Amino acid sequence: MRDLRGHLEHCAINTACFGFRDPLPNVIDAVARAGFGGISIWRREVDGYDIKMLARRLRDAGLKVTGYCRSTPLVTKSDAAFHNSMAENARAMSDGKALGAQFYAFVVGGVSDGTGDIAHSRMQVREGLAHLLQHGHSIDLKLAVEPLNPVYVVDRSVITRLSEALDLCDSIEGSVTTPQIGVLIDVYHTFWDVDVHQQIMRAGQAHRIFGFHVNDWLNPTQDVLNDRGMMGDGVIDLRGFRAVIERAGYQGLVEAEIFSDQNWWRKPMAETLQVLAERFQTVV
Amino acid sequence: MRDLRGHLEHCAINTACFGFRDPLPNVIDAVARAGFGGISIWRREVDGYDIKMLARRLRDAGLKVTGYCRSTPLVTKSDAAFHNSMAENARAMSDGKALGAQFYAFVVGGVSDGTGDIAHSRMQVREGLAHLLQHGHSIDLKLAVEPLNPVYVVDRSVITRLSEALDLCDSIEGSVTTPQIGVLIDVYHTFWDVDVHQQIMRAGQAHRIFGFHVNDWLNPTQDVLNDRGMMGDGVIDLRGFRAVIERAGYQGLVEAEIFSDQNWWRKPMAETLQVLAERFQTVV
């Protein structure tokens, strides 16, 4: 297991930690200055900037870009909306590639994004991913499916369990030595599952772990969407979880992603970065 | 599939639908008068009453008693607390038997009820259920484990998936023709799971479906604990779900359980009963 103490180059910051208040170039500079090795960026932050300028700034800052966040829902109410989603996602994937991202992150959409039929929603997801995988091949960008905590099945993701996401990858791509489609594993979304360790090992053996998110589950949690905890402030055994991920072969960046509108999003970015650095080195 | 129209005798009301405001004898009478076939009762409502009097009242009202709700957490912080939980649960099971309940409902406790180690918590649950199963045999009362939506893994139940609950039953009791330990399946807690239909069939084949709860998932949901929806007000395909349950062989009561502190718990019991009756016959 890697030692993160003194090795923030193994750690990445998802810009969602800061609540999208500062302009992206400032965030890039601050994350790099704090010594982190990588960053994950959202489409909303890129809007209005020249992508090549941003890509150059990221390179100059010495930051790897993990995921480009994130997909337009693949679950849709009509064929027209589905085709529109395909076009939007393909464009965003190309932007992600231009930014130098390792993968494009998929949050596939919930039951309420579609016709209301959960089985049909899952078929749309499979069809959409299979289609976009071709684009991923053509531009050499990986696709990472993020299974979400089942509490979001209605409004965010019909893909809930890690095993489900892996079954989906297998069914779309089959067994290959260098997968183009894989998973983004977030502790918040997966720690509850009795077979998560076993499924992480399976994911690692298939070389499908493209990204790894850390944060924490606060007790009590005020809001399941925007009251995520800083690593160490909640109940998840983060070090135990990372041990399994690394035993499964994952050697990529460990990325913090914290949605916290009542707490961290109200603090200065510098303070949040300082606490993130400390927690990566002591509890993750 | 049974026709519920004109057949409220197949339907039961969990008293949690009313927010525990009225004295239990009044609730029993109101549920019976509304034509329902069964009722599920909570320990807190029984406190202070003579159990034999309540049992007689239930019999006189012609109501079956489905579940007696519900267990003291089996997940505990110490051996002393665990032994205390065993004693309290055994006493409550005896009360449930005296009331004529078909089963005692287990909500096993969350990570935060114990030492913080989720794997150890699950071992405590297994040990506790195995111990209480002996008491269940001795008094001829069934034990029903209710897997809860994973959003509750920290504060309410380390058993989340139906498959997990069934694995637990199998591991404790083995394969028997007349199981004493089984599951209580609630749509709210299980509908998100990609293999729930398959696991319901498995549960039915093993004769382990002891109870079936209906309600609905509102979109948006204000609070994942106490903002459950009346059947038909949310997104769950209730009729499709019941079809699978009955195809799996379940012929017991279909029970409504709705926690709703901002809506249904503020309405008069008579109004809630009327709407429950209508929804059972039109959307379940």
Side-chain angles (χ1 to χ4, degrees):
Chain A
M1 187 171 171
R2 294 175 293 183
D3 189 356
L4 299 186
R5 195 176 291 267
H7 291 286
L8 290 182
E9 74 272 17
H10 295 319
C11 304
I13 303 296
N14 187 300
T15 59
C17 292
F18 311 119
F20 309 110
R21 293 166 300 173
D22 295 278
L24 184 54
N26 300 16
V27 178
I28 291 169
D29 292 349
V31 169
R33 253 197 327 270
F36 293 101
I39 193 169
S40 182
I41 290 172
W42 288 63
R43 288 160 69 184
R44 66 168 88 171
E45 300 175 293
V46 168
D47 277 351
Y49 287 105
D50 179 68
I51 299 258
K52 284 182 185 162
M53 180 279 286
L54 288 176
R56 196 166 49 240
R57 191 141 184 163
L58 287 158
R59 272 197 310 274
D60 291 349
L63 289 174
K64 293 177 183 164
V65 180
T66 56
Y68 189 45
C69 300
R70 62 188 187 193
S71 60
T72 300
L74 308 177
V75 179
T76 45
K77 292 190 200 303
S78 68
D79 284 352
F82 182 78
H83 290 298
N84 195 44
S85 163
M86 292 300 101
E88 280 186 29
N89 280 308
R91 269 196 301 275
M93 287 171 68
S94 297
D95 288 347
K97 179 67 189 178
L99 287 165
Q102 296 172 351
F103 58 84
Y104 182 59
F106 279 87
V107 167
V108 299
V111 177
S112 65
D113 289 309
T115 58
D117 177 340
I118 193 168
H120 179 253
S121 301
R122 287 177 170 136
M123 280 168 48
Q124 284 186 315
V125 170
R126 193 190 180 288
E127 185 184 338
L129 287 171
H131 177 82
L132 291 168
L133 181 60
Q134 302 311 313
H135 185 58
H137 274 296
S138 73
I139 65 172
D140 188 27
L141 180 72
K142 290 182 172 178
L143 287 64
V145 179
E146 185 173 17
L148 296 201
N149 193 295
V151 72
Y152 304 118
V153 75
V154 171
D155 53 359
R156 279 182 173 70
S157 175
V158 293
I159 306 298
T160 60
R161 286 161 42 193
L162 178 53
S163 60
E164 184 181 4
L166 291 168
D167 288 346
L168 190 60
C169 293
D170 289 348
S171 90
I172 291 171
E173 195 178 40
S175 174
V176 292
T177 50
T178 312
Q180 195 83 16
I181 182 165
V183 294
L184 170 54
I185 299 175
D186 186 311
V187 291
Y188 195 87
H189 295 306
T190 58
F191 80 106
W192 57 270
D193 196 344
V194 70
D195 74 356
V196 65
H197 289 184
Q198 181 188 330
Q199 293 298 324
I200 288 170
M201 296 312 289
R202 169 188 168 194
Q205 277 156 17
H207 308 288
R208 290 210 201 268
I209 309 178
F210 292 172
F212 175 38
H213 283 179
V214 292
N215 44 62
D216 217 334
W217 188 287
L218 299 177
N219 181 38
T221 292
Q222 302 305 330
D223 177 73
V224 289
L225 184 61
N226 285 324
D227 187 31
R228 285 199 207 167
M230 174 63 66
M231 298 87 80
D233 288 348
V235 302
I236 302 178
D237 174 15
L238 294 169
R239 188 149 291 173
F241 203 105
R242 182 164 72 87
V244 176
I245 287 264
E246 296 195 8
R247 199 154 63 237
Y250 182 72
Q251 290 293 315
L253 290 159
V254 182
E255 176 176 326
E257 184 190 49
I258 302 171
F259 299 90
S260 169
D261 59 359
Q262 298 302 305
N263 187 6
W264 296 103
W265 291 1
R266 298 181 174 208
K267 295 186 194 289
M269 178 164 56
E271 180 183 340
T272 302
L273 279 167
Q274 193 175 15
V275 178
L276 284 164
E278 184 249 326
R279 299 298 176 86
F280 265 121
Q281 299 180 79
T282 52
V283 299
V284 178
Chain B
M1 187 170 172
R2 294 175 294 182
D3 190 355
L4 299 185
R5 194 175 292 267
H7 291 285
L8 290 182
E9 74 272 16
H10 296 316
C11 304
I13 303 296
N14 188 299
T15 59
C17 292
F18 311 119
F20 307 112
R21 293 167 300 174
D22 296 279
L24 183 55
N26 300 16
V27 178
I28 291 170
D29 292 349
V31 169
R33 252 196 329 267
F36 292 101
I39 193 169
S40 181
I41 290 172
W42 288 63
R43 289 160 70 184
R44 66 168 86 172
E45 300 175 294
V46 167
D47 278 350
Y49 287 105
D50 178 69
I51 299 257
K52 284 183 185 163
M53 179 280 286
L54 288 176
R56 195 164 51 239
R57 190 138 184 167
L58 287 158
R59 273 197 310 275
D60 290 350
L63 289 175
K64 293 178 184 164
V65 180
T66 55
Y68 189 44
C69 300
R70 61 187 187 192
S71 61
T72 300
L74 308 178
V75 179
T76 47
K77 292 190 200 302
S78 68
D79 285 351
F82 183 79
H83 290 300
N84 195 44
S85 163
M86 291 301 100
E88 279 187 29
N89 280 308
R91 268 196 302 275
M93 287 172 68
S94 297
D95 287 349
K97 179 66 188 180
L99 287 166
Q102 296 172 353
F103 58 83
Y104 181 60
F106 279 87
V107 168
V108 299
V111 176
S112 65
D113 288 309
T115 58
D117 176 340
I118 193 168
H120 178 254
S121 301
R122 288 177 170 136
M123 280 168 49
Q124 284 186 314
V125 170
R126 192 190 181 286
E127 185 184 338
L129 288 172
H131 176 83
L132 292 168
L133 181 61
Q134 302 312 311
H135 185 58
H137 274 296
S138 73
I139 65 172
D140 188 27
L141 180 72
K142 290 181 172 179
L143 286 65
V145 179
E146 185 172 17
L148 296 200
N149 193 296
V151 72
Y152 303 119
V153 75
V154 171
D155 53 358
R156 281 185 171 68
S157 175
V158 292
I159 306 299
T160 59
R161 286 161 41 193
L162 179 53
S163 60
E164 184 181 2
L166 291 169
D167 288 347
L168 191 59
C169 293
D170 289 348
S171 90
I172 291 171
E173 195 178 40
S175 175
V176 292
T177 49
T178 313
Q180 193 83 14
I181 183 166
V183 294
L184 169 54
I185 299 175
D186 186 312
V187 291
Y188 194 87
H189 295 307
T190 58
F191 80 106
W192 56 271
D193 196 343
V194 70
D195 73 357
V196 65
H197 289 183
Q198 182 188 328
Q199 293 297 323
I200 288 170
M201 296 312 289
R202 169 189 168 194
Q205 277 156 17
H207 307 289
R208 291 212 200 266
I209 309 178
F210 292 172
F212 175 38
H213 283 178
V214 292
N215 44 64
D216 217 332
W217 188 287
L218 299 177
N219 182 39
T221 291
Q222 302 304 329
D223 177 74
V224 288
L225 185 61
N226 285 325
D227 189 30
R228 287 201 207 164
M230 176 62 66
M231 299 87 80
D233 289 347
V235 303
I236 302 178
D237 174 16
L238 295 169
R239 188 150 291 171
F241 203 104
R242 181 165 72 88
V244 176
I245 287 266
E246 296 195 8
R247 200 155 62 235
Y250 182 72
Q251 290 293 314
L253 289 159
V254 182
E255 176 177 326
E257 184 190 49
I258 303 172
F259 299 90
S260 169
D261 58 1
Q262 299 302 307
N263 188 5
W264 296 102
W265 291 1
R266 298 183 174 206
K267 295 184 193 291
M269 177 163 57
E271 180 183 342
T272 302
L273 279 166
Q274 192 175 18
V275 178
L276 284 164
E278 184 249 326
R279 298 299 175 85
F280 266 120
Q281 299 181 78
T282 52
V283 299
V284 179

